[in-house]
Structure formats: C-alpha cells, structure tokens
Amino acid sequence: MKALNTVMGLALAGLAILALGTAMAMWYETLRVNTYVETGEVKVAWADWQCSDEGPDPQLPDSDFHNDEGKDVAQCIVEPEVYDGEGNAVKVNITLMNAYPGYNPVITLTVENIGTIPVKLLNYDLTDGGYDNQALSVTITVPEDTQLHPEGTHDITINIAVLQTASEDSTYSFGLEFTYAQWNEVP
C-alpha cells in the first residue's frame, strides 16, 4: 500500500510538472493602456454691456412720469471694473448720475461662455451695498434657458427705476452676482 501511495504521489507530481511545463511554454502577448484625463473649464465673462439711455432720458412706463420735451438730464454709465488674468471682463460697474424719480434705464449685459464645457446660470443675487427698495425698483430678466455652449452668449437685462420716494442728493448702491456652473449640475 505504501508503494502504491508513493507511485500515485509521484504520478501526481509528474502531472503537475508536466502542466507547469506546458504553461511555461505557452506563447502570450500583453496589451497595455495609458490613460490621460484632461478636464474642461467653466469660465464666463461679460462680452458686451449697454444702457438704454442713449439720448432723451427713459421714463418709467405706465406712470405719471414723462419726458415729452426730450431732456437728457441723467446719465447711465456701464463700464468694466474687474478683469481676469486673461483680460476678460468679469465685473462691470453701473453708475446712474443725476438720476431723479421716474428715470428708468434698462441695462443689457451679454454673458459669453469662454470656457470649454456648457454652463448654466446656477443663481443670481443682490450683494454689496444696501439696496433700498423704497428708492429703487430693480427687475432682473434672464433667459428661460440659460444653458450656454462654448462661445455661446445670452443677454441679462437689469431694469432700474428711480421711485418717487428716492431722496434728493443721495447715493444708492447695490451689487449683483451671477453664478454659472457646469450644465449637468444645474437642475
């Protein structure tokens, strides 16, 4: 019996060596992959800006205010204030000078996607300063679909009305902030 166990053990060892020899003699080839991931860039800038006050002062519609004489008393100035490192306007300054009750300029700001992936408007908000809704009425209008593909643009309008309750010889200030995010993160 001992001899039979020894013979069977040797036979199994021989089969194992034979199988190992076959595996060692097998031809093979390995394929490899190098992977590089380059991410896109979310980047927007103000591409254009303008004010509706380009002559006689615009007046608040559907009100007792009028400018039938075509007076050009107030002034609306829209100019870039901050640029990014590449020279793109990322903040504009809107200044209304010599404004008075009934004065109603509409500012149009053009946003451009200067990044590499589509973006959407995530949110917008009044920021800096103390917005006085007793002296000013501000209405912001954004497109229904704010998605911008690279090099795409859309307009945002800011309608500012100086109300009857505004004080003489006063300064009112406020800021607006528009935040854009990659399109698939905005509901």
Side-chain angles (χ1 to χ4, degrees):
M1 191 65 149
K2 194 172 186 185
L4 183 58
N5 283 343
T6 304
V7 171
M8 284 187 72
L10 287 174
L12 285 175
L15 284 173
I17 291 172
L18 183 61
L20 183 60
T22 303
M24 296 298 279
M26 181 178 18
W27 294 2
Y28 65 92
E29 184 171 344
T30 303
L31 297 175
R32 292 185 173 89
V33 176
N34 284 332
T35 304
Y36 300 94
V37 176
E38 184 176 322
T39 61
E41 179 180 31
V42 170
K43 190 167 186 165
V44 292
W46 298 116
D48 195 18
W49 41 87
Q50 56 190 337
C51 183
S52 65
D53 183 1
E54 295 180 352
D57 291 345
Q59 301 294 298
L60 195 57
D62 301 326
S63 69
D64 293 334
F65 300 109
H66 60 85
N67 187 7
D68 297 335
E69 298 169 337
K71 299 227 183 270
D72 188 9
V73 176
Q75 195 175 13
C76 175
I77 303 165
V78 183
E79 56 192 2
E81 183 177 338
V82 177
Y83 292 90
D84 66 9
E86 297 167 354
N88 301 300
V90 293
K91 183 177 183 183
V92 294
N93 186 46
I94 299 169
T95 303
L96 305 182
M97 296 176 58
N98 206 31
Y100 52 87
Y103 182 58
N104 183 217
V106 177
I107 294 89
T108 303
L109 303 172
T110 302
V111 179
E112 181 177 8
N113 181 353
I114 58 173
T116 60
I117 61 174
V119 295
K120 278 187 175 180
L121 181 62
L122 179 63
N123 60 42
Y124 60 93
D125 213 354
L126 287 166
T127 58
D128 316 332
Y131 170 64
D132 184 343
N133 64 358
Q134 299 299 311
L136 304 173
S137 172
V138 177
T139 305
I140 301 164
T141 306
V142 298
E144 191 172 312
D145 180 8
T146 62
Q147 182 166 310
L148 289 175
H149 291 277
E151 299 181 14
T153 64
H154 66 229
D155 290 341
I156 293 174
T157 59
I158 303 167
N159 185 321
I160 302 175
V162 180
L163 304 176
Q164 186 68 50
T165 52
S167 298
E168 284 186 73
D169 199 27
S170 295
T171 300
Y172 299 99
S173 67
F174 61 93
L176 293 168
E177 187 172 274
F178 298 87
T179 303
Y180 284 79
Q182 64 195 42
W183 90 101
N184 62 342
E185 296 242 0
V186 179

